[in-house]
Each structure stands twice: as structure tokens, then as C-alpha cells.
Amino acid sequence: MNVATTREIMKAERICVIVPTYNNAGTIIDVLQRIKAYTDDIIVVNDGCTDHTKSLLEDCGLGITLVGYDKNQGKGHALKTGFETAIHQGFEYAITIDSDGQHFPEDIPLFIDAFQKDKGSLVVGARNLTENNMPRGNTFANKFSNFWFYVQTGKHLQDTQSGYRLYPLSMLNGGWFITARYEAELEFLVYTAWKNVKIVQIPVRVFYPPKKERVTHFRPYMDFARISAVNTLLCAGAIFYYLPAKILRAIRK
């Protein structure tokens, strides 16, 4: 799908792009300039940046919608803020993309193609977990989450921690986060599966620079502990909510 067609479809279908950011001054402008090729509807959430990211965004001249707050609240909170802003502006779908440069904005047409084939589905961009320079902590945490996602939903996903997604905003009715940080994206996948909404996977490219050049806010030990705690709660939800509801639906059929 070419750039012009992608822009037309995104405009007609009311699809925006949401970019949460926390101290990514070295990459954020390049990411936004590349997104701009596909849409002018870009919402950037300043998640309490303490570097000069905020001033860069205020002076970038890219016509973005900039929202944010002074204290870092976590990626889940930033996404929720972005979703609320998008809904308020009348958008019906949102593509979320990280601001650290790991995702390729040039893959946006892949999401639009999948959207056209399965409108109303949640589209997840699955990264290649064997990619060169893929951080070991991230890889292990992702495989761990993939396993528990299967336990909680009975569904297989290749990359439950990918932040590159297309969300139907009609599914976001507020208050669905247990946590405000990285694990929020896993929670939403589980809730989506529990609601029997189709989840579509598409392969996307990923770029991880050498360790000395990488800016990451993923804390392997702390975030792994948080993911474990959330998975415990989700497993309880699967046992006491999802499985009984699934059995009841099968009996009714």
C-alpha cells in the first residue's frame, strides 16, 4: 500500500497515531517526521519528561497535538491519556508506536492493510524476538508473558509486549488498567481476548541499537516483578470470570 492511499484511508476511517514518550529527546523528532508521511493526526503524550523532550516537541513545528503532565506516571497512564484525547477529538481508531526508534513508522501501511481485512480487530505488530541486539531481559519477559497469556486466554500470540498496535477506540471504556506501567498493554490484550474480540498479528520490523547507544526505561527486575504480579491477578480472573463465562456461553449454544 503506497503512502497516498494510506493517508486517504487513515483520514477517512478516523485513525490517528499516539506516541507516548519519556526522555527520548534523541529519537522523538525523527520518529514524528517519519509518521508525518502517513498522517497529520498525531497525538504525543509527554509522560513527565525530565530532559529537553518537551521543548523539542513544543518547537518542532509538526502540527502535533501535545498533551502531558509534570510527573512520570508510566506507559499505561500515558496510553490512557492518549486514548482519551483521541476519543475526545472524534477518532475511532488509534495506532500506538514507541518513541525510542525501535519501531519503523514505515510499517504503518501494514496496519492499515490488516485493518481493512479485519475491521474492528485489535492489530498487534509482532517483533522478531531473535533480532540482533534484542535485549535479553526484554526477550525473557516477553516469552514469559506469552506463556501466561495462553494460560489466561487459551490463545497464542508471538509478542504480547509489543507497543506497536492498532486499537479500536470503541473498546476503550475507561478504567481497564490495573497498573499504569508496561504491564497495562498485556492487561488490555487479556481483556480483549476475554471479550471475544479478534486479535490479529502482523510481522513488523524492529531496530535495537548497540547497548551503549540504547535509551530504555525497561527495568528487567522491577518490571518483571510487576508483570508477575499482574499475571497472578489475571490468572485469578481467568479462573473465576473468563472460564465460567466461556463454559456458560458454550452451554447456551
Side-chain angles (χ1 to χ4, degrees):
M1 183 180 296
N2 62 38
V3 172
T5 301
T6 300
R7 288 185 68 90
E8 290 175 7
I9 295 172
M10 292 185 71
K11 194 70 175 178
E13 298 287 353
R14 303 295 295 154
I15 304 172
C16 68
V17 176
I18 296 174
V19 188
T21 187
Y22 177 60
N23 291 356
N24 291 119
T27 54
I28 182 68
I29 299 302
D30 176 66
V31 171
L32 294 177
Q33 288 173 336
R34 291 158 65 191
I35 295 172
K36 192 77 173 178
Y38 301 96
T39 181
D40 294 321
D41 300 315
I42 306 172
I43 298 170
V44 181
V45 183
N46 168 23
D47 186 20
C49 294
T50 57
D51 62 357
H52 61 290
T53 298
K54 182 179 179 182
S55 61
L56 282 176
L57 293 171
E58 291 173 338
D59 299 333
C60 69
L62 293 173
I64 61 173
T65 296
L66 178 60
V67 295
Y69 29 84
D70 293 331
K71 185 178 180 180
N72 177 253
Q73 300 291 322
K75 189 176 184 182
H77 187 86
L79 287 172
K80 187 175 181 180
T81 299
F83 292 144
E84 290 173 346
T85 303
I87 292 170
H88 179 73
Q89 292 184 352
F91 291 103
E92 297 184 12
Y93 302 88
I95 294 174
T96 60
I97 183 172
D98 292 350
S99 61
D100 60 2
Q102 69 162 288
H103 300 146
F104 285 72
E106 293 77 15
D107 285 340
I108 287 176
L110 300 179
F111 285 87
I112 301 306
D113 184 58
F115 163 80
Q116 289 191 298
K117 294 175 181 176
D118 287 289
K119 191 175 293 189
S121 298
L122 171 61
V123 183
V124 178
R127 301 164 295 176
N128 179 2
L129 299 181
T130 63
E131 193 77 25
N132 291 338
N133 297 320
M134 186 77 168
R136 289 184 179 180
N138 296 47
T139 301
F140 176 77
N142 198 20
K143 291 181 178 179
F144 182 83
S145 291
N146 294 351
F147 169 76
W148 285 110
F149 178 79
Y150 175 73
V151 171
Q152 293 150 4
T153 67
K155 301 178 186 297
H156 287 285
L157 278 184
Q158 178 184 335
D159 190 357
T160 53
Q161 290 193 315
S162 171
Y164 206 175
R165 302 178 180 179
L166 187 150
Y167 289 89
L169 293 176
S170 60
M171 297 169 54
L172 302 171
N173 53 8
W176 50 267
F177 291 113
I178 297 172
T179 175
R181 297 195 176 273
Y182 284 102
E183 316 84 68
E185 291 174 310
L186 173 62
E187 292 176 53
F188 189 74
L189 281 180
V190 173
Y191 297 155
T192 300
W194 286 356
K195 292 179 181 179
N196 289 318
V197 175
K198 187 175 181 180
I199 300 175
V200 177
Q201 298 182 94
I202 60 171
V204 295
R205 293 169 290 175
V206 63
F207 172 71
Y208 279 105
K211 188 174 182 179
K212 64 181 180 179
E213 301 175 15
R214 185 182 306 139
V215 177
T216 178
H217 306 295
F218 183 81
R219 301 160 300 174
Y221 298 107
M222 179 66 72
D223 288 325
F224 179 73
R226 293 176 64 90
I227 291 170
S228 299
V230 169
N231 273 311
T232 300
L233 293 173
L234 292 174
C235 284
I239 293 171
F240 295 107
Y241 165 71
Y242 175 63
L243 291 178
K246 185 176 181 180
I247 292 171
L248 183 59
R249 285 195 299 268
I251 292 173
R252 286 176 176 174
K253 288 183 179 178

